[in-house]
Amino acid sequence: MSVADAEVPRGYREVKGPTALGDDPRRLFRLAHTLAATDFKLKFFGSFLGYLWQLMNPLMLFGVLFVVFSFALKLDAGVKYYPVALLLGIVLFSFFSEATTAAVRSLMARESLVRKVDFPRLAVPMASVMTSTFNLALNLVPVLVFLLISGGRPRLAWLGFLVVIAVLVLFAFGMAMILSVAFVKFRDIEPIWNVVLQLLFYSSGVFFTVDTIAGRAHGRLLVDIFFCNPFAALLATARNLLVDPSWQAPTQSLSSGWLLLIPAGIIIASLAFGFLMFRAMAPRVAEDL
């Protein structure tokens, strides 16, 4: 008979471990927001340039990639608003990479808090994603500025861009739940995820257009496989809605619109599986750290 099945002696009450959600959802969101806001402020505390460093990172990477792919490889030939689309791809990928990478060690980083305080455990990976979302909001400012300077004008489609951002945040949150609680048991998760992110960066169309692969042999099949990647599908949709309609959305490139169910299913599965996995392991996270 296991300890869990043992009968509780008379006069005593069973004490369950902390759960993923806690008893009050409002406490979960308040705690996650407090942790995220604190991390966001501490990140640049004492820094002379402060929040400007958050803008510098994607801009510096953009400068390097723009020189390589525009001047050396000529990937921008005939492509409207290529610099803006490249910057948007870097900003969105930086968000996804930052949110999920920070979530991997998030429970470990707050070990003292997890061991000593009874609070909803889901607040920890949620705070990691929230902090990255704050950074994403800042990084989208130069994207909009460059777009307007380049000749872009506000459109109603920009409202759809906000929906794409919300879906991307949910996808990052689903992966954050899986990675954070899996790292507690399997420490190899971190190097494995770093490799996955590198593959994702080079295979998601951050610096090339869909036409680049559509024009090759078996191009239609390659495009169908390309958009099985949820990040690639979200990035293409974001560029179509925010930058310019000349940037093809997945529905304009896939051989069948039904194929969009694959990336959508992966995003939903990451949320459902991530939550169920986190909820099952949350009560014993402190013991496993």
Side-chain angles (χ1 to χ4, degrees):
M1 184 174 62
S2 67
V3 175
D5 296 332
E7 183 178 352
V8 179
R10 181 175 297 178
Y12 292 84
R13 65 182 179 87
E14 183 180 5
V15 178
K16 298 181 179 179
T19 62
L21 297 175
D23 299 326
D24 185 359
R26 289 175 299 180
R27 184 186 177 216
L28 168 64
F29 287 107
R30 281 199 302 269
L31 181 58
H33 182 268
T34 301
L35 292 173
T38 303
D39 287 345
F40 185 73
K41 293 175 182 176
L42 288 177
K43 184 176 181 180
F44 304 106
F45 180 75
S47 170
F48 180 71
L49 294 178
Y51 299 133
L52 288 179
W53 284 117
Q54 186 59 44
L55 302 177
M56 290 294 291
N57 290 332
L59 287 176
M60 291 175 68
L61 179 59
F62 162 74
V64 173
L65 294 181
F66 181 69
V67 170
V68 171
F69 295 111
S70 291
F71 294 99
L73 300 179
K74 305 292 184 183
L75 288 182
D76 64 336
V79 181
K80 197 173 182 181
Y81 300 130
Y82 178 80
V84 180
L86 175 61
L87 181 59
L88 177 62
I90 292 171
V91 165
L92 295 187
F93 183 82
S94 297
F95 159 75
F96 186 75
S97 174
E98 179 185 334
T100 53
T101 301
V104 172
R105 284 185 172 269
S106 59
L107 289 169
M108 182 69 71
R110 300 187 189 278
E111 180 178 355
S112 57
L113 187 66
V114 172
R115 286 185 181 277
K116 297 175 183 176
V117 182
D118 181 1
F119 70 96
R121 301 305 196 218
L122 196 59
V124 176
M126 185 181 288
S128 299
V129 178
M130 276 189 182
T131 305
S132 300
T133 306
F134 297 159
N135 295 332
L136 173 63
L138 276 179
N139 290 339
L140 284 175
V141 173
V143 175
L144 291 175
V145 171
F146 283 171
L147 177 59
L148 295 174
I149 292 175
S150 302
R153 292 293 177 265
R155 297 179 289 129
L156 282 178
W158 286 14
L159 297 176
F161 173 73
L162 297 178
V163 177
V164 175
I165 293 298
V167 175
L168 179 61
V169 171
L170 289 175
F171 182 37
F173 182 49
M175 294 307 303
M177 287 189 288
I178 295 172
L179 293 168
S180 61
V181 80
F183 181 76
V184 175
K185 287 282 189 181
F186 310 103
R187 302 303 163 89
D188 291 335
I189 289 293
E190 187 174 38
I192 291 173
W193 185 244
N194 288 335
V195 173
V196 171
L197 284 175
Q198 290 184 29
L199 294 175
L200 196 64
F201 178 77
Y202 291 105
S203 63
S204 298
V206 172
F207 50 83
F208 61 85
T209 66
V210 178
D211 293 337
T212 306
I213 53 178
R216 298 181 178 276
H218 308 291
R220 180 55 66 92
L221 176 62
L222 291 176
V223 170
D224 288 345
I225 296 173
F226 175 75
F227 280 124
C228 289
N229 174 355
F231 182 81
L234 288 172
L235 176 58
T237 307
R239 283 169 166 167
N240 177 267
L241 294 173
L242 181 70
V243 180
D244 193 76
S246 61
W247 285 83
Q248 292 188 352
T251 50
Q252 299 170 300
S253 306
L254 288 167
S255 58
S256 170
W258 290 101
L259 291 173
L260 267 182
L261 292 177
I262 295 176
I266 293 174
I267 294 173
I268 294 172
S270 71
L271 280 168
F273 180 70
F275 175 72
L276 293 175
M277 182 178 174
F278 197 97
R279 187 179 66 174
M281 298 179 66
R284 297 192 59 83
V285 161
E287 288 79 359
D288 293 332
L289 283 173

